[in-house]
Amino acid sequence: MRKLMTLTFMGKATSSPPLLFQSKLLCFSLLYLFSTLFLALYASLSSTKCIFRSSPFDPIQNPLFSYPSTYGEHKYATPTLRSSCISPVYFSDYGMVLKEIHDFCRNSSDSSSILRYLQSKADSFGGNFSAQKRMSYFDHGDDRVEVPCGFMKEFPVNDSDQIAMENCKGVVVVSAIFGDHDKIRQPRGLGSKTLETVCFFMFVDDATFKGLNSHNILMKKSREYKIGAWRIVRVTGKLLYENPAMNGVIPKYLVHRLFPNSKFSIWLDAKLQLMVDPLLLVYSLVISENVDMAISKHPYYLHAMEEAMATARWKKWADVDSLKTQMETYCENGLQPWTPEKLPYTSDVPDSAMILRKHGVSSNLFSCLMFNELEAFNPRDQLAFAYVRDQMNPKIKMKMFEVEVFEQIAMQYRHNLKRGGASSSKTKRAISDSYVNGSSSRCERYVLQMWGESHD
């Protein structure tokens, strides 16, 4: 029976609310609590709208590898403030994707139009060609012409790893750690058949290998080292470049040469942890879009010059004079700021931490030309990206997806960089590589103007 508190006042009986509701502060606190819970629930549910699948998908739940406590926690994930997805990604049924990629890899034959590579010996791994020589390969109208594409020195890996790389004939996921600057992170969200279908290769140098060995996490299986999903490939002896980042450029851009029989590849910076099955990514971002390459747009910059200025201002590369020379070279030879006329290319600056490729003439040519530019100047690949893409022929079909998509498919961590790391190195041929005709173009004046601001 409901009980009410009654008061007698001037002969009249009145009722008052329970004490629980007599405190305004308590009422507001309860209102705030329930509103916060509702908003949190809404945010957690709405954030999933960026990634959805046409049917239920049950990824592998068990951890792929258990790290010892001495290896440390995977701390310092880069936060994101974005709560919506501008460009949603539709992930098809896993079983259908698995079958279609298997059928494609099994039925695809080598095209009559293939890219031939220059075979010679040189002082550097890439040949260190002059600007004029590099640019002469941009227009690839004759399939008989051999294109310089690295490997003018031996890439020092053992025979068993080399055989395994050649035997990877479908999809390969590639990453690298040189200079012991990152941790090895296991992919998440893998389907039940993915580890039987996709090759995972992690390239490391001696310093990184010794670091892994000190934590007793290298599992040797016959002639191979494994850490969870990753096969560890040790690049032995003296590295091909003094700069660790430049050594990482080899598997990043010459993946089609390291894995000559693979049909698709995903490059993954070691600072990233893959959160979506690679088969679903390849199908949704490359196959369904009918492109040669898929890569994220940069979260802040649209023009290559903006990235160049940030590189100089934030000391991402210490030799500022070589950066100026590089951008002058590109301006004098046709680099233009991004405009809608460049569509379907939606930006001149990528976030190249993840690159998805369908291996073919256009994709492989782009990768070769990019590698040659990076060896000539520096491993900051965002600076050369638009120049190579816009000047090369045949054109590469490319999807540049939104940053919100990138943040849904990968978790990003900070590098474990040490002082005096990659940014302290200098290029050797900054002055001699300048290819200017003496005229003061609008682009060159813009370079000089902006560089003056960077030194203020």
Side-chain angles (χ1 to χ4, degrees), residues 47-71:
S47 64
T48 62
K49 68 182 180 182
C50 293
I51 294 183
F52 58 97
R53 304 178 174 92
S54 61
S55 65
F57 172 68
D58 185 21
I60 297 174
Q61 300 295 331
N62 296 328
L64 298 177
F65 188 80
S66 297
Y67 291 93
S69 59
T70 56
Y71 194 57

Side-chain angles (χ1 to χ4, degrees), residues 129-137 432-435:
F129 294 97
S130 67
Q132 297 96 321
K133 187 68 173 177
R134 297 196 311 274
M135 293 169 192
S136 69
Y137 293 102
S432 62
D433 206 29
S434 179
Y435 185 68

Side-chain angles (χ1 to χ4, degrees), residues 110 113-121 125-126 129 137 140 142-152 253-262 357-372:
D110 294 334
S113 178
I114 61 174
L115 200 62
R116 292 177 170 83
Y117 305 114
L118 185 63
Q119 306 291 330
S120 66
K121 300 294 183 181
F125 183 76
F129 294 97
Y137 293 102
H140 187 71
D142 187 350
D143 291 336
R144 295 171 297 180
V145 174
E146 295 181 339
V147 177
C149 197
F151 293 90
M152 296 182 186
Y253 279 99
L254 302 186
V255 59
H256 61 288
R257 299 215 60 189
L258 292 169
F259 300 86
N261 298 312
S262 62
R357 299 179 180 93
K358 175 184 176 182
H359 293 181
V361 172
S362 296
S363 171
N364 295 349
L365 178 63
F366 175 83
S367 297
C368 293
L369 298 177
M370 276 291 296
F371 180 83
N372 295 336

